[in-house]
Amino acid sequence: MNIIVTGTLGYDTITVHNGRIADRIMPDKIHQISLSFLVDTISDHFGGTAGNIAYTLKLLHTDPLIVSVAGHDFDRYAKHLQNVGISREKITIIKNKRTGHYHVINDLDNNQIGSFEIGASSFADTLILPHPKNREENFVVIAPTVPEAMKKYVDKCRQEKWRYLFDPAFQTGSFSGAELKKYIDGAEILVGNDYEIALIEEKTKWSHQELIQSTAITITTLGGKGARIETKKEAIEIPPAKPKKVVDPTGAGDCFRAGFLAGYLRGFDLQICGQMGSVAAVYTVEKMGTQTHEFTIDEFKKRYEENFETPLTL
């Protein structure tokens, strides 16, 4: 299986506010927000949606091919990818730009406020998805990056009849209702958190049932409450796996996607795939950073069985 992972590559600067963001927000002043937070810790890590998803796919013995862009400061990240065995063949370096950079504040409730410096990602729409040797064995992950690039990737998948997962995430608001309808209709899997799924319904004017009927699989991630996987015939509630401790929620959604896909592309049933996503997600929330967690296949299987009381064959 050739798994192409699009999206961003970037450096993450993660800070922790020892309080609650909600305590600083006045609902009647939402139109003129001006906030500043004292933070207790700050750390730098490797990140980006493509990098995060590919990293956990690799831990689960699934070989991803990253199609993305990076800047002149990518050397450290490139060595990291080399060390974990992820190909850099389809990563384009833009020499006069910095690699993207994500700045985020986390609070005690695991809420986040972040911003992403686009940097080299502004050139993502110049990339061309590689042709597989066997079209039927191609699967493309369209993770959030600049909207024009996402549109181009979806159009290519639809034209070539490639299977793809559509993950608009924080770019959901950048697409028109008509565009969302078009891209979801051609997707094998749609994924988003509960806010993003609600926003899709608002922009498309679809009811939830109409959304479910528009694609084969719809996944709604629910943070610490797990996830819901819906098809035209059933709805599967996925309970959360139990973290040993919660350190940093950054990247949990990316890990869930990787865990789900590592099962899905092996042909596992959706319940198992979702539970694999839940287990993958807790590994990253236990560590600061999105690519700092590690596990062996045996450790992952043991963690799965501890949480769901059934064995996992990998």
Side-chain angles (χ1 to χ4, degrees):
M1 177 65 67
N2 185 20
I3 309 167
I4 296 170
V5 183
T6 69
T8 57
L9 291 165
Y11 294 105
D12 291 348
T13 295
I14 301 173
T15 60
V16 178
H17 169 59
N18 192 27
R20 292 177 170 81
I21 293 171
D23 292 341
R24 301 293 189 90
I25 297 175
M26 301 171 63
D28 61 330
K29 298 292 185 181
I30 200 76
H31 61 290
Q32 50 181 188
I33 288 180
S34 179
L35 299 173
S36 180
F37 299 92
L38 292 176
V39 296
D40 297 280
T41 61
I42 183 168
S43 55
D44 294 312
H45 303 277
F46 303 118
T49 53
N52 294 343
I53 294 170
Y55 177 81
T56 298
L57 280 170
K58 189 66 178 181
L59 289 179
L60 288 165
H61 291 194
T62 307
D63 279 330
L65 180 64
I66 295 175
V67 178
S68 189
V69 286
H72 59 76
D73 55 348
F74 192 61
D75 287 352
R76 285 193 301 117
Y77 204 145
K79 289 177 182 177
H80 162 69
L81 294 177
Q82 182 179 13
N83 289 340
V84 297
I86 295 176
S87 172
R88 295 158 293 156
E89 176 188 355
K90 295 299 180 180
I91 298 174
T92 298
I93 304 299
I94 308 299
K95 294 183 178 180
N96 64 342
K97 290 285 187 178
R98 295 199 329 156
T99 302
H101 201 131
Y102 183 52
H103 302 260
V104 65
I105 297 173
N106 297 326
D107 74 358
L108 293 178
D109 293 330
N110 296 321
N111 292 316
Q112 298 181 313
I113 295 178
S115 63
F116 186 75
E117 176 194 351
I118 296 174
S121 296
S122 60
F123 287 81
D125 62 343
T126 65
L127 303 181
I128 298 173
L129 297 181
H131 278 263
K133 294 179 180 179
N134 184 337
R135 179 176 305 189
E136 286 71 30
E137 292 189 354
N138 201 50
F139 194 93
V140 182
V141 178
I142 300 177
T145 181
V146 292
E148 288 307 313
M150 297 178 71
K151 295 175 185 179
K152 179 178 177 180
Y153 304 155
V154 172
D155 287 341
K156 182 66 173 178
C157 288
R158 288 168 59 87
Q159 175 188 337
E160 299 289 344
K161 294 182 170 54
W162 291 341
R163 304 163 64 198
Y164 69 93
L165 176 150
F166 184 51
D167 178 16
F170 49 79
Q171 293 293 12
T172 302
S174 301
F175 298 107
S176 69
E179 287 171 332
L180 287 169
K181 284 184 174 182
K182 172 184 174 183
Y183 301 155
I184 292 168
D185 181 64
E188 187 165 327
I189 304 171
L190 167 69
V191 61
N193 62 32
D194 48 352
Y195 177 85
E196 291 154 0
I197 295 298
L199 182 58
I200 289 172
E201 291 169 2
E202 179 182 307
K203 297 201 72 167
T204 59
K205 308 301 181 187
W206 274 340
S207 67
H208 187 69
Q209 192 56 38
E210 288 172 326
L211 175 64
I212 299 308
Q213 294 299 315
S214 67
T215 192
I217 301 169
T218 301
I219 303 173
T220 305
T221 58
L222 304 169
K225 297 179 181 179
R228 182 180 303 113
I229 301 173
E230 295 172 281
T231 70
K232 295 177 176 67
K233 296 182 179 180
E234 62 179 341
I236 304 167
E237 298 295 331
I238 304 298
K242 297 178 178 64
K244 296 175 182 176
K245 57 181 177 179
V246 176
V247 175
D248 172 27
T250 311
D254 293 334
C255 280
F256 180 94
R257 288 151 174 76
F260 176 90
L261 284 170
Y264 184 74
L265 296 176
R266 284 175 165 93
F268 294 174
D269 69 50
L270 295 179
Q271 182 81 45
I272 293 174
C273 297
Q275 291 172 176
M276 286 180 65
S278 282
V279 174
V282 296
Y283 274 103
T284 194
V285 303
E286 294 169 347
K287 296 275 190 177
M288 183 66 69
T290 57
Q291 296 177 42
T292 51
H293 57 286
E294 296 178 343
F295 54 76
T296 65
I297 288 294
D298 284 342
E299 288 169 342
F300 188 88
K301 288 162 61 176
K302 181 180 178 182
R303 193 80 180 267
Y304 181 98
E305 187 167 351
E306 289 172 350
N307 277 276
F308 301 111
E309 300 180 349
T310 56
L312 176 67
T313 302
L314 282 178

